[in-house]
Amino acid sequence: MKHAFNYILSFIIISVLITSCDAVKRVPESDYLLTKNSVHVNGKKDNTETINNLLYQKPNSKILNYPLRLNIYNLARPNIDSIVNANLDKKPHKRAHLESFLSKKQLDKYIDSRISFNDWLKKTGEAPVILNEDRTKKSIKRLNDYYINNGWFDVESNYEIHKKNNQRAEVDYFVKTGNSFIIDSISKKYEPSVVDSIYRLVQRNSFIKQNEQYKTVNLQLERDRITSELRNKGVYHFSQDYIAFEVDTVGTNKKVNIEVQIQDRAIRNQDSVRREPFKIYNIKDVNIYTDGTYERRSETRTDSINYNGYTIYSIGKMRFNPKALTDAIFITPKNIFKDIDRTRSYRYLSELRTFKYPDIKYIENDDETLTTNIFLTPLKKFGLNFSTEVSQSNIQTIGLAVNPSILIRNIFRGAETLELSGIGSIGASKDASNKSSNQFFDINEIGVNLNLTIPRLFSPFNTDYIVPKYMSPSTRISLSATSQTNIGLDKQTFSGTFNYKWSPSRYITNRLDIFNAQYVRNLNVGNYFGVYQNSFKTLNAISTSLNYNNGENLNFPDQTDAFISDVLNNNTTLNPNDADYKTVSNINERKQRLTENNLIFSSSFGLVEDTRKNIYDENFSIFRVKLELAGNILSSASSLLGLNKDSSNRYELFNVAFSQYAKTELDYIKHWNLGKKNVFAVRSYAGIAIPYGNSTSIPFSKSFFAGGANDNRAWTAYSLGPGSSESSNEFNEANFKLAFSAEERFNLFGSLNGAVFVDAGNIWNVLDEVNDKKAIFSGFNSLKDIAVGSGFGLRYDFSFFVFRFDIGFKTYDPSYQDKNRWFNDYNFGNAVYNIGINYPF
């Protein structure tokens, strides 16, 4: 099968290469294939994407200067159905013979498959771009329009077409811009009115500025700005149609004089139009209909409540707390009309997850006021969900999981949402066959999670002045418990969180974890060496070399623990200066840390700034920062609470030493859209967690690791570092991390994209109990231990997610110590193959 695949792949590659010699195969004899566009601006070539996008005709796309999609298209036959049928009828009785041999149904399927494959070639490929001089002339007009709209009013353009004997053609465009025009004066033309007064107040923020180059786009931006300012200051009837700009360049010596013209309001009657000055409107009444569906429009509202100037109506008994509704509405009775209040109300009401998209309507009154009617359609109170999952990993042969959940909306009549979900799973471990039990499914996990979301800051104090409601504040309270048995060390985990979330602007989101508690209890500590096999092999090798246990392999946990105890208590021939003694000591320290129960009480603050305008935006940046502090309150109150200390002089709560540390993370991602579905992306990350007080190390769940599909892709997850150490641990982790990545993504054809990347980074230990110099970050000199991986990959875009396949090669490996670290394992045999969903950053 493998050889057959290679033969097919080779055949396709050879066929494409041969066909590439005949790129004009589908070009009519009297036409020419457009192979190149060149734009010369003031005597210099301009290859920018902005200018290239102005041209109506562009050559066929190329990959590494090779027109792959054109040649795929050329493989298709123009009339494949006629050709196939003609071949079948070429010889007498050929069709009848094949029908008797294959059956008519199979022959028809063969013909359909030929046609389908031919259609696939056409769809995947790209038809030849035939030179069209009319489109070339349109490109000239578009170039002129572009430069005129950017202030070069004296622009002149022309073109030259170079036709070659091999049916190929190139087009040169020549643009002479002349000098740009500069804005000289800005004047206004409108009658004194409320519009004039408001405009003067906000004029300083104008997009049209003196002594700057003229740009048409700034006029549109200024039109949008003026409209927004006026509509947010009570001018209800104002729209962009009332704004015009008169641009004068006659006899101005390359200067532009702009006059801003704002007309009075047009009031249309049956046969005439009269103009009146605009007036400021106030909100008179705000009516909220909590059963505002179209189907129930004629039903009588039997319940109503007046609350803070709002009137709330309901069919039947009122189901909502009035404050919860009015907190979500920014349109305020007796205040002036603001268009932004409606936008904010739409957003906030939608975020409640209690109503369908609301309907907000204004009704104009005779006294220059507005009545606001808000129609809300409640979602069903209960929502049920049930999902299943089948999985496979390096631990289990197969796993089956069910995830039921129930969503309860408006549970306390304040638009709160309560979600109760569970997980139940069973699995078969890969070593189940070696166990004496006949049980196939020997892994199980069960858990429950409760989340309560409150659409405001839940606090005994009024927080409106600190976090106004336009920031969409919310509170989340969550409790969870899971129990995992018959796998690894087996764990029970209990956690609880109380946090606030708010967005001070469109692009920034803040999260404050007031309280985050986590308790992890290991149930099967005796299986430590069954999970960490590399540590066991190292320990067993040392035992065998000492003829400990009569040279027989150690069993665990009894003999392994006894051997470690004997070594560290000097009951063997090893002494503290021996390398094997230090290795055993390190294994014991790691074992104690990874098997101890963890109790974490922490608080944290995180900020995310995401400048993406929408999901299709590829020119954006993301900045994340998080600061977490754990154990400080317990440490300060330990004496007051009368807490006892363990053998390591650490305070214990519920017989578990609580963790104390400070952790911070910085993450920055930047994307540049290079055009033609080509994106360049970079990421930089730094994180450090410092133990102090009641801790000498960081809990495993809070430490850092390197490698994996979303990190340094030349190493598998947890296999890189720390530092230059040659660790054989299954899970390498540390408390300091640096990571950098750069990736260029480009389209191959259709929904298939390619990428080339470089990843760099590592983890180190710093300010903790680790003593291995190779693993410790000691200063700038340690930066030489940053590992570098490079590679390439494919991505297939399914619209709702991206399937990703990457191959990473170890380019610079710090584990080679003082040897040459470059390109030692740079081959497919030592490469790491990563599969992931969506982009790594």
Side-chain angles (χ1 to χ4, degrees):
M1 184 68 183
K2 182 179 180 182
H3 292 299
F5 175 80
N6 291 335
Y7 291 148
I8 294 171
L9 182 62
S10 300
F11 173 76
I12 293 174
I13 294 173
I14 293 170
S15 298
V16 170
L17 290 174
I18 291 174
T19 312
S20 67
C21 298
D22 192 15
V24 296
K25 182 178 181 180
R26 305 299 178 199
V27 178
E29 290 184 4
S30 59
D31 291 327
Y32 290 82
L33 177 71
L34 179 63
T35 58
K36 186 178 181 181
N37 284 328
S38 298
V39 182
H40 307 265
V41 181
N42 297 325
K44 295 182 179 179
K45 268 193 176 183
D46 191 331
N47 294 321
T48 61
E49 189 67 21
T50 301
I51 298 301
N52 285 329
N53 282 339
L54 296 174
L55 305 181
Y56 272 92
Q57 271 198 310
K58 301 173 187 176
N60 290 97
S61 60
K62 295 181 179 180
I63 300 173
L64 300 176
N65 206 35
Y66 175 72
L68 175 63
R69 294 188 65 188
L70 171 61
N71 287 310
I72 291 175
Y73 182 89
N74 286 340
L75 286 173
R77 307 293 292 273
N79 302 303
I80 186 65
D81 51 345
S82 300
I83 294 172
V84 172
N85 284 298
N87 287 334
L88 290 175
D89 298 329
K90 191 174 183 180
K91 294 181 181 181
H93 310 298
K94 183 178 180 180
R95 182 186 293 271
H97 175 73
L98 288 174
E99 287 180 354
S100 62
F101 177 72
L102 295 175
S103 82
K104 185 178 186 304
K105 185 177 180 180
Q106 289 180 326
L107 182 60
D108 289 341
K109 283 187 177 181
Y110 163 74
I111 295 173
D112 289 341
S113 67
R114 289 286 305 273
I115 294 173
S116 297
F117 180 69
N118 196 76
D119 291 341
W120 179 84
L121 290 174
K122 287 182 178 181
K123 184 179 179 180
T124 304
E126 188 178 64
V129 178
I130 308 299
L131 175 67
N132 185 318
E133 192 165 358
D134 288 337
R135 293 188 175 185
T136 304
K137 293 175 181 178
K138 287 184 178 180
S139 297
I140 286 293
K141 184 180 184 306
R142 186 180 277 181
L143 285 167
N144 285 336
D145 291 343
Y146 170 79
Y147 283 101
I148 289 172
N149 286 328
N150 282 277
W152 288 282
F153 295 150
D154 297 330
V155 63
E156 295 179 358
S157 304
N158 55 61
Y159 65 91
E160 292 180 3
I161 297 176
H162 306 280
K163 296 179 179 179
K164 300 182 180 180
N165 294 330
N166 57 1
Q167 273 192 281
R168 291 166 173 81
E170 298 178 358
V171 181
D172 284 319
Y173 296 88
F174 301 94
V175 180
K176 292 183 180 179
T177 64
N179 294 326
S180 61
F181 280 61
I182 305 300
I183 297 174
D184 184 35
S185 67
I186 305 170
S187 58
K188 303 96 182 172
K189 182 181 178 181
Y190 42 78
E191 298 296 328
S193 63
V194 294
V195 170
D196 176 33
S197 302
I198 295 172
Y199 180 76
R200 291 179 184 277
L201 290 174
V202 300
Q203 187 177 357
R204 63 183 180 276
N205 298 321
S206 175
F207 286 97
I208 308 172
K209 300 182 185 298
Q210 284 182 293
N211 301 319
E212 288 190 358
Q213 185 171 331
Y214 170 87
K215 291 184 179 180
T216 302
V217 67
N218 286 339
L219 301 186
Q220 182 58 47
L221 291 173
E222 180 65 2
R223 181 180 283 111
D224 294 341
R225 187 190 71 85
I226 294 173
T227 303
S228 178
E229 292 282 6
L230 293 175
R231 285 186 60 81
N232 286 326
K233 288 180 171 57
V235 189
Y236 173 68
H237 288 289
F238 196 84
S239 67
Q240 291 186 4
D241 297 337
Y242 290 105
I243 304 172
F245 300 96
E246 185 174 301
V247 179
D248 181 18
T249 61
V250 178
T252 58
N253 191 26
K254 307 292 184 183
K255 301 291 184 180
V256 179
N257 297 319
I258 299 177
E259 183 179 75
V260 183
Q261 301 174 349
I262 302 180
Q263 297 177 316
D264 284 340
R265 179 189 171 193
I267 301 176
R268 290 174 173 81
N269 298 318
Q270 288 184 346
D271 54 358
S272 64
V273 176
R274 75 176 192 274
R275 292 193 177 273
E276 293 182 357
F278 285 97
K279 298 177 181 178
I280 292 178
Y281 277 68
N282 290 298
I283 303 296
K284 184 177 184 180
D285 300 308
V286 179
N287 302 316
I288 305 171
Y289 298 89
T290 60
D291 299 279
T293 60
Y294 182 80
E295 294 80 4
R296 309 189 72 177
R297 66 191 183 281
S298 60
E299 294 187 37
T300 303
R301 268 70 184 179
T302 57
D303 194 5
S304 65
I305 297 174
N306 291 312
Y307 181 82
N308 285 348
Y310 296 86
T311 304
I312 307 171
Y313 296 95
S314 174
I315 299 175
K317 186 178 180 180
M318 183 68 63
R319 293 181 291 160
F320 299 94
N321 185 323
K323 187 178 187 305
L325 295 179
T326 57
D327 280 351
I329 296 169
F330 292 82
I331 304 168
T332 309
K334 313 308 177 187
N335 279 14
I336 67 169
F337 162 79
K338 295 181 182 178
D339 200 34
I340 194 173
D341 288 344
R342 177 163 60 173
T343 302
R344 287 173 171 171
S345 299
Y346 275 130
R347 189 187 69 178
Y348 203 121
L349 286 167
S350 298
E351 289 176 350
L352 291 180
R353 298 171 65 192
T354 302
F355 305 99
K356 295 180 182 178
Y357 195 75
D359 186 15
I360 302 176
K361 295 180 178 180
Y362 292 105
I363 298 176
E364 186 177 354
N365 303 313
D366 295 334
D367 57 353
E368 298 170 9
T369 62
L370 298 170
T371 295
T372 308
N373 292 327
I374 301 173
F375 299 93
L376 304 177
T377 304
L379 295 168
K380 292 182 179 180
K381 186 175 183 65
F382 296 97
L384 298 175
N385 187 39
F386 187 86
S387 62
T388 60
E389 181 182 350
V390 179
S391 61
Q392 189 273 339
S393 69
N394 61 335
I395 297 175
Q396 60 183 11
T397 303
I398 188 173
L400 306 174
V402 293
N403 301 91
S405 64
I406 181 171
L407 185 71
I408 308 175
R409 299 181 178 91
N410 194 39
I411 186 169
F412 301 120
R413 300 181 62 244
E416 304 90 352
T417 302
L418 178 67
E419 184 173 10
L420 181 64
S421 60
I423 181 174
S425 68
I426 56 175
S429 66
K430 291 191 174 182
D431 60 347
S433 59
N434 298 325
K435 297 180 180 179
S436 57
S437 172
N438 293 324
Q439 184 179 0
F440 179 73
F441 290 107
D442 60 337
I443 297 172
N444 65 79
E445 180 179 3
I446 188 169
V448 63
N449 187 41
L450 183 148
N451 285 306
L452 175 64
T453 302
I454 304 171
R456 55 194 169 275
L457 297 190
F458 186 70
S459 169
F461 311 105
N462 186 0
T463 59
D464 291 345
Y465 295 102
I466 303 173
V467 183
K469 65 179 183 179
Y470 76 83
M471 295 184 182
S472 300
S474 64
T475 302
R476 184 168 182 171
I477 303 170
S478 65
L479 298 171
S480 65
T482 60
S483 178
Q484 184 187 72
T485 58
N486 298 324
I487 180 172
L489 301 180
D490 297 346
K491 293 180 184 294
Q492 286 181 343
T493 304
F494 304 91
S495 63
T497 305
F498 183 98
N499 66 56
Y500 294 143
K501 186 178 179 181
W502 69 96
S503 299
S505 73
R506 175 183 176 184
Y507 301 111
I508 296 177
T509 301
N510 295 327
R511 171 170 167 160
L512 176 63
D513 280 15
I514 301 293
F515 180 82
N516 191 327
Q518 185 179 44
Y519 171 59
V520 180
R521 179 188 176 197
N522 294 301
L523 304 176
N524 191 10
V525 176
N527 194 38
Y528 175 81
F529 287 112
V531 176
Y532 299 94
Q533 285 285 324
N534 289 336
S535 295
F536 173 73
K537 291 176 183 177
T538 301
L539 188 71
N540 193 61
I542 296 174
S543 168
T544 304
S545 68
L546 297 177
N547 201 33
Y548 189 89
N549 195 33
N550 298 319
E552 297 292 330
N553 290 333
L554 301 174
N555 61 39
F556 54 85
D558 296 335
Q559 292 182 354
T560 51
D561 290 351
F563 176 64
I564 291 173
S565 177
D566 285 343
V567 170
L568 299 182
N569 289 311
N570 298 315
N571 293 329
T572 66
T573 58
L574 297 177
N575 64 71
N577 294 321
D578 293 333
D580 285 346
Y581 182 98
K582 295 178 180 178
T583 299
V584 173
S585 179
N586 290 336
I587 290 174
N588 182 62
E589 289 178 0
R590 179 176 170 83
K591 175 178 178 292
Q592 294 302 320
R593 190 164 76 86
L594 297 186
T595 58
E596 71 176 359
N597 298 330
N598 295 133
L599 183 61
I600 304 171
F601 288 88
S602 67
S603 298
S604 65
F605 174 77
L607 179 149
V608 178
E609 182 181 22
D610 188 341
T611 64
R612 274 179 294 196
K613 297 177 182 178
N614 52 60
I615 60 174
Y616 304 106
D617 186 9
E618 285 294 356
N619 268 317
F620 68 89
S621 63
I622 301 175
F623 174 70
R624 298 185 181 94
V625 60
K626 183 179 180 181
L627 174 64
E628 181 179 1
L629 299 173
N632 291 341
I633 296 177
L634 288 177
S635 179
S636 301
S638 55
S639 298
L640 183 64
L641 296 174
L643 301 182
N644 298 319
K645 291 186 176 182
D646 62 10
S647 58
S648 299
N649 201 35
R650 298 184 301 171
Y651 284 107
E652 289 184 324
L653 182 64
F654 308 125
N655 296 320
V656 180
F658 61 84
S659 300
Q660 189 174 7
Y661 60 85
K663 181 179 181 179
T664 186
E665 299 173 82
L666 297 171
D667 192 5
Y668 180 74
I669 296 170
K670 175 65 179 174
H671 283 212
W672 289 273
N673 189 348
L674 306 180
K676 298 181 180 179
K677 297 184 179 181
N678 194 334
V679 175
F680 184 68
V682 297
R683 181 193 184 193
S684 57
Y685 175 90
I688 186 170
I690 301 174
Y692 61 93
N694 208 53
S695 297
T696 57
S697 62
I698 299 299
F700 181 82
S701 61
K702 297 293 181 177
S703 59
F704 302 104
F705 71 92
N710 296 320
D711 196 72
N712 197 322
R713 284 162 278 185
W715 279 262
T716 57
Y718 292 97
S719 66
L720 176 59
S724 62
S725 59
E726 301 175 88
S727 173
S728 59
N729 294 324
E730 288 84 355
F731 302 100
N732 294 302
E733 40 79 39
N735 65 325
F736 176 51
K737 178 177 181 176
L738 294 175
F740 311 94
S741 293
E743 179 172 291
E744 183 166 3
R745 302 160 187 168
F746 48 88
N747 181 252
L748 295 175
F749 51 82
S751 298
L752 184 63
N753 301 303
V756 292
F757 60 84
V758 175
D759 299 324
N762 208 334
I763 56 174
W764 293 268
N765 290 93
V766 59
L767 301 175
D768 63 1
E769 61 185 2
V770 174
N771 298 315
D772 185 357
K773 293 182 179 179
K774 296 176 183 178
I776 295 175
F777 188 89
S778 56
F780 286 107
N781 187 52
S782 296
L783 295 178
K784 69 179 186 299
D785 294 333
I786 290 180
V788 179
S790 58
F792 60 90
L794 297 173
R795 291 97 168 82
Y796 193 87
D797 191 349
F798 287 94
S799 296
F800 50 93
F801 74 92
V802 174
F803 178 81
R804 175 166 53 93
F805 175 70
D806 290 326
I807 304 176
F809 301 92
K810 295 178 178 63
T811 308
Y812 178 87
D813 189 347
S815 68
Y816 275 90
Q817 306 298 329
D818 297 328
K819 301 176 184 177
N820 175 39
R821 298 179 173 185
W822 289 97
F823 302 106
N824 286 302
D825 298 312
Y826 202 88
N827 52 64
F828 284 96
N830 290 297
V832 174
Y833 300 85
N834 300 278
I835 293 177
I837 300 297
N838 294 327
Y839 293 106
F841 54 89

